[in-house]
Amino acid sequence: MPRILDLQMKIRSLRRFVKTEGRIPTYREMLALFEYRSKNAVHGLVKKLVHFGYVRKSRGKLAATSRLTGVLKLLGAVQAGFPSPAEEELADTINLDEFLVERPDTTYLLTVSGDSMIEAGIHPGDLVLVEKGRTPKNRDIVVAQVDDEWTIKYFIKDSEGILLQPANRKYESIRPRRFLTIGGVVRAVIRKL
Amino acid sequence: MPRILDLQMKIRSLRRFVKTEGRIPTYREMLALFEYRSKNAVHGLVKKLVHFGYVRKSRGKLAATSRLTGVLKLLGAVQAGFPSPAEEELADTINLDEFLVERPDTTYLLTVSGDSMIEAGIHPGDLVLVEKGRTPKNRDIVVAQVDDEWTIKYFIKDSEGILLQPANRKYESIRPRRFLTIGGVVRAVIRKL
DNA sequence: CTTGAACCTGAACATTCGTTCAGTTATTGT
DNA sequence: ACAATAACTGAACGAATGTTCAGGTTCAAG
């Protein structure tokens, strides 16, 4: 019987449990899950899992790490292609939320309608991750209110003031007269295919 | 003292605990967290949290739901703009991983190098979410190996067979002679700004 | 075959868990 | 002001928790 593969299998069923139940199983539940007959066997396994960083202990209690909950294996560049199954299991797994969202309380997900930013690679139907309440820097992409309508534009500061510039030759830049409401700064673009 | 706001505050500190500790606090820990003096007070609060869907019970144990762990508030379209703080708290929170990844075991994250798909809005430096081991459908974007090099192309099936087509006029389509290795199908594109 | 290490069984243990109860305090509507 | 409802305190409870111990199995190396 293989040993390392065996551990991987156990990690998989652990992952499945955590995903469906929303929590780490108790030692008793792991008995059934890993087909042990003694809680001490579980104790040994947990020791290993802690050592490899799949779970950790927080005040005596078991806790999931991002290595366990993170579902995405982060690989290198496209050119490198895909790794062999052996390398595969060594890949770091990450959590997209943690990776993309800095301030959960003020970050929102909006659907893009319109093609005003299409030359910046933001298409209609794309999702944009918008962080509210931050003062935009020059050339940030922002969600702004112009004439009672919300749009996505480049935020540009020049000698005359502030300019909202689309990334589409069909549209013209807007120079807000008096009021300019900035909804937030676009931190990421997500397209589901 | 406000009531609903009070609950929101508690949910916030709960979120913070879950994020840093990787698990739901015990009732005793919630005593300190919510500044109660009786476990029964916690018991009542948990009842509420379950009712509102922030936590759930799995076999008697407390478990986190995506409403608690999901950090992103999903709003409508850009046109709708931003909601008032009152509406804000009602927004559904989602988990990007769950939203984007169907099959965690076979999904990878790659960095795009090269501009062969730039007209499809896939820029160098973007991340692509690639699902391995699926047979691509016509006009899917795939990661394929051509002449020992991995690239991203449209996968097109026509009368002559299979064609790998870039989304960039500067490059030409490739018709694989004998072998064609498909690394996977691109399911999502992510750009961090 | 023997030895040693890694892994496991099964039972015992103190500790901690979430729940429940009776009674008090705070908050709300009439 | 008063009653009704909700929310909380504090203590008690059995059940379940993770840990530990002594002893068994398995398996590969010498």
Side-chain angles (χ1 to χ4, degrees):
Chain A
M1 275 293 165
R3 280 173 313 157
I4 295 175
L5 259 174
D6 211 40
L7 183 62
Q8 293 297 342
M9 291 277 283
K10 280 165 186 162
I11 289 167
R12 276 201 185 187
S13 46
L14 221 192
R15 275 220 176 88
R16 216 175 308 138
F17 188 100
V18 171
K19 192 180 180 183
T20 58
E21 297 295 323
R23 61 178 177 88
I24 295 250
T26 66
Y27 280 43
R28 184 183 287 201
E29 286 168 330
M30 290 195 219
L31 271 188
L33 199 58
F34 302 137
E35 293 176 333
Y36 286 137
R37 239 172 278 188
S38 166
K39 277 207 275 183
N40 184 33
V42 176
H43 194 260
L45 179 69
V46 168
K47 222 174 182 177
K48 257 194 208 164
L49 292 175
V50 170
H51 179 256
F52 287 123
Y54 288 101
V55 298
R56 66 196 176 89
K57 297 231 173 179
S58 86
R59 212 217 120 194
K61 266 87 195 135
L62 275 188
T65 64
S66 63
R67 164 160 290 171
L68 193 74
T69 56
V71 291
L72 280 172
K73 298 172 190 71
L74 185 58
L75 304 181
V78 166
Q79 295 169 326
F82 285 88
S84 63
E87 301 171 85
E88 215 166 273
E89 296 293 354
L90 295 171
D92 255 345
T93 61
I94 64 158
N95 189 307
L96 268 185
D97 293 304
E98 284 179 24
F99 180 66
L100 293 177
V101 183
E102 243 178 79
R103 308 189 183 177
D105 287 338
T106 56
T107 305
Y108 298 83
L109 214 46
L110 290 179
T111 306
V112 175
S113 64
D115 55 357
S116 68
M117 290 302 283
I118 202 156
E119 286 163 27
I122 301 178
H123 298 207
D126 287 1
L127 294 169
V128 282
L129 223 146
V130 182
E131 193 177 321
K132 207 177 164 184
R134 251 205 190 184
T135 50
K137 287 192 287 290
N138 197 25
R139 290 208 66 79
D140 272 357
I141 296 172
V142 297
V143 176
Q145 190 175 28
V146 180
D147 300 333
D148 282 342
E149 210 177 298
W150 290 88
T151 46
I152 307 188
K153 296 279 188 308
Y154 278 120
F155 178 90
I156 293 172
K157 253 185 182 164
D158 60 15
S159 54
E160 292 178 54
I162 286 159
L163 187 71
L164 294 177
Q165 188 184 60
N168 188 336
R169 269 154 256 197
K170 289 194 290 181
Y171 300 104
E172 287 185 6
S173 299
I174 296 165
R175 194 172 290 280
R177 298 168 189 282
R178 296 163 192 274
F179 301 110
L180 171 62
T181 310
I182 299 291
V185 179
V186 176
R187 314 290 303 199
V189 184
I190 295 164
R191 185 176 317 131
K192 202 177 176 183
L193 300 176
Chain B
M1 274 294 165
R3 281 173 314 154
I4 295 175
L5 259 174
D6 212 40
L7 183 60
Q8 293 297 341
M9 291 277 283
K10 280 165 186 163
I11 290 167
R12 276 200 186 186
S13 47
L14 222 193
R15 276 220 175 88
R16 216 175 308 137
F17 187 100
V18 171
K19 193 180 180 184
T20 58
E21 297 296 322
R23 62 179 176 86
I24 295 248
T26 66
Y27 281 42
R28 183 184 288 201
E29 287 168 330
M30 289 194 220
L31 270 188
L33 199 59
F34 302 136
E35 292 177 333
Y36 285 138
R37 241 173 278 188
S38 166
K39 277 206 278 184
N40 185 33
V42 176
H43 189 78
L45 179 67
V46 167
K47 222 173 182 177
K48 258 194 210 164
L49 292 175
V50 170
H51 178 255
F52 288 123
Y54 288 102
V55 298
R56 65 195 176 90
K57 297 231 172 178
S58 84
R59 212 216 120 197
K61 266 86 195 133
L62 275 188
T65 63
S66 63
R67 165 160 288 171
L68 193 73
T69 57
V71 290
L72 279 172
K73 298 173 189 69
L74 186 58
L75 304 181
V78 166
Q79 295 168 325
F82 284 87
S84 63
E87 301 171 85
E88 215 166 272
E89 297 293 354
L90 295 171
D92 256 346
T93 60
I94 65 159
N95 189 306
L96 269 185
D97 293 308
E98 283 178 25
F99 180 65
L100 292 177
V101 183
E102 243 177 79
R103 308 187 184 179
D105 287 339
T106 56
T107 304
Y108 299 81
L109 215 45
L110 290 178
T111 306
V112 175
S113 64
D115 55 357
S116 69
M117 290 303 282
I118 201 155
E119 285 164 28
I122 302 178
H123 298 207
D126 287 0
L127 293 170
V128 283
L129 223 146
V130 182
E131 193 176 319
K132 207 177 165 183
R134 251 204 188 183
T135 49
K137 287 193 286 289
N138 198 23
R139 290 207 65 80
D140 272 357
I141 296 173
V142 296
V143 176
Q145 191 175 27
V146 181
D147 299 333
D148 282 341
E149 209 176 300
W150 290 88
T151 46
I152 307 187
K153 295 279 188 306
Y154 278 121
F155 178 90
I156 293 171
K157 251 183 183 165
D158 59 15
S159 54
E160 293 178 55
I162 285 160
L163 186 71
L164 295 177
Q165 189 184 58
N168 188 336
R169 270 154 255 196
K170 289 193 289 181
Y171 300 103
E172 289 186 6
S173 299
I174 294 165
R175 194 171 290 281
R177 298 168 189 282
R178 297 162 191 274
F179 301 111
L180 171 62
T181 311
I182 299 289
V185 179
V186 175
R187 314 291 301 202
V189 184
I190 296 163
R191 183 176 320 129
K192 201 178 178 183
L193 300 176

